[in-house]
Amino acid sequence: MLSRPRIAVVTTGGTIDSLGADRLDLAAYLEAGHRLEPGELLAGIPELARIADVIERPFRRLRAHAMSDADLADLRDAVTSLVDANEADGVVITHGTNTLEETAWLLHLAVATDRPVVLTGAMRPASALSGDGPLNLVNAVRVAAAGDARGLGVLVVLADTILGARDVTKANTLRTTAFTSGAAGPLGWVDADGRVVLAHRPARGSTLRGRFAGVDLQALPRVDVVVSHQGADGVLIDAAVAAGARGIVSAGTGAGYPTPVEVDALARASAAGVTVCQASRVGAGRVPRVPSLVTRGWLASDDLQPWKARTLLRLGLAAGLAEADLQALFEAG
C-alpha cells in the first residue's frame, strides 16, 4: 500500500484567514482587523484529508505588506526545518497576496530542496460570499503532494493556476484571477477533477534554486527601489545613498530609462560605491545591458521586475559577488 504524502501547511495570515463586516465586504475587510481563530482555516476544509496527511505549522500571522526581514528569515528557517527533518514531503504556505510574489522568489533563492514549496492565498476574505481561499488551499496541497512538482522550485497556486516564483506577479488589485506570469505563462493547472496538469518546467531561474541557502537573511544589505517618472529629480536617489543603501534598483521608463537628472544622481551613487541595477517600471519585457550601462558599471535587471531585482541584488551583495557575477544572476537560466 502506497503511503500518503505528508504536507505541512504553514499559516502566515493574509486575506485567506481575514474576516469582513459581512459577506459582501470584499474591499475594506483588512481595516476591521478580524481573523479566523488559530486552526479554524484548516478545520473548515475537511476535504484536505482526502488528498494528504496535512499538518498545520502556525507562523505569526501578518499582513503581507508587514513582512520584515526578520519574519522572512524565520519563515525560511521554518520551511528548511520541515524538509531537512523529513517532516513533510511538501510545504504549503498561506500568505497575503500583496507581497506573495516577493516571498516566493526569496524562498526560491534561499531554500535548498527539491520538495515542493507552494504559496497560496486569497483575493476574498474567509467571510466572503464565494470566497476563493478554501479551494486555493486545496489546490495548493494537491500540487505540493504531486510527484511531478518536485524539483521545480517554489510555486504559487491561485485560481486553479500553477505559476513559477521567478515570473509570477500580482497584476490586479481585486480580481480572483489577479496573478499572472506574463509572457512566460503558467506552468500548469489544477483541473476541476483535481488532476495536477503540468504543461512545462520553468527554464529561467532554475539554476538559482537554493543558491543563497547559506545567506543570513537578517543581515541583508539595504537596497532601495526608485521609480522614475516625468520630471523626476535625484532627491530620492541621494536620500537612499545617505541612508546607507548598498544598492539601488532604478525602475526606469520604457526599457530602463531614468530622467537625465536621475542618471546624474545614479552616477554619484555609483561613484560612492553603491551598486546600481537598471530595471523598468513597465510590467513586462527585458532591460538589455546596453553599452551605456556597461560603461557605467551598472547592472541590467533583464526581465525581473524591480522588487524581485531588489531581492536578488540583496542576496548577491550579501554573498559578496562581483559585478560580472551579479549580472550573471539576472541572466541565469
Side-chain angles (χ1 to χ4, degrees), residues 15-333:
T15 292
I16 196 169
D17 70 2
S18 293
L19 298 171
D22 55 51
R23 296 209 302 166
L24 293 181
D25 178 7
L26 306 180
Y29 55 90
L30 286 179
E31 296 183 3
H34 300 307
R35 295 189 179 280
L36 295 173
E37 293 297 321
E40 194 173 358
L41 175 63
L42 269 65
I45 314 174
E47 294 84 357
L48 290 170
R50 301 182 193 175
I51 305 166
D53 292 332
V54 176
I55 53 174
E56 183 173 3
R57 290 292 182 262
F59 190 78
R60 63 192 72 115
R61 293 200 286 177
L62 299 161
R63 296 180 180 182
H65 44 278
M67 282 276 189
S68 67
D69 282 354
D71 296 320
L72 292 167
D74 289 345
L75 181 59
R76 190 269 299 269
D77 292 346
V79 173
T80 300
S81 176
L82 285 166
V83 296
D84 285 354
N86 201 31
E87 292 186 45
D89 300 307
V91 179
V92 171
I93 302 168
T94 63
H95 196 289
T97 59
N98 286 350
T99 62
L100 184 150
E101 64 202 79
E102 291 175 69
T103 298
W105 181 227
L106 175 68
L107 293 177
H108 178 86
L109 297 168
V111 175
T113 182
D114 66 348
R115 300 187 188 192
V117 177
V118 183
L119 275 73
T120 192
M123 293 299 295
R124 293 173 179 167
S127 54
L129 185 67
S130 298
D132 56 324
L135 187 55
N136 283 344
L137 182 51
V138 166
N139 285 338
V141 170
R142 284 170 167 159
V143 172
D148 288 347
R150 292 180 73 97
L152 300 184
V154 174
L155 303 173
V156 171
V157 175
L158 288 101
D160 306 336
T161 308
I162 306 168
L163 307 161
R166 186 185 187 279
D167 299 304
V168 65
T169 190
K170 186 174 182 178
N172 192 287
T173 60
L174 298 174
R175 301 286 84 80
T176 56
T177 54
F179 283 79
T180 178
S181 287
L187 301 180
W189 300 268
V190 184
D191 278 342
D193 60 355
R195 181 181 174 188
V196 174
V197 180
L198 282 162
H200 61 269
R201 302 177 67 86
R204 303 213 63 193
S206 60
T207 61
L208 297 181
R209 176 166 58 91
R211 168 77 179 272
F212 300 100
V215 170
D216 182 357
L217 300 187
Q218 296 202 53
L220 296 180
R222 178 176 182 134
V223 173
D224 289 305
V225 177
V226 179
V227 182
S228 188
H229 53 82
Q230 287 183 337
D233 58 23
V235 170
L236 296 179
I237 296 165
D238 291 336
V241 176
R246 285 190 54 202
I248 293 175
V249 176
S250 165
T253 61
Y257 290 93
T259 66
V261 181
E262 286 180 306
V263 170
D264 291 341
L266 290 168
R268 291 195 295 274
S270 185
V274 176
T275 300
V276 174
C277 176
Q278 187 59 61
S280 173
R281 70 179 195 181
V282 179
R286 292 179 56 243
V287 174
R289 200 173 191 222
V290 295
S292 60
L293 295 182
V294 176
T295 299
R296 295 169 182 147
W298 299 356
L299 309 174
S301 71
D302 203 87
D303 65 348
L304 270 184
Q305 293 178 318
W307 37 96
K308 289 189 179 181
R310 171 183 177 267
T311 296
L312 186 56
L313 181 55
R314 294 184 83 195
L315 290 167
L317 290 172
L321 299 184
E323 177 189 319
D325 295 321
L326 288 170
Q327 183 60 51
L329 294 177
F330 292 96
E331 299 170 359

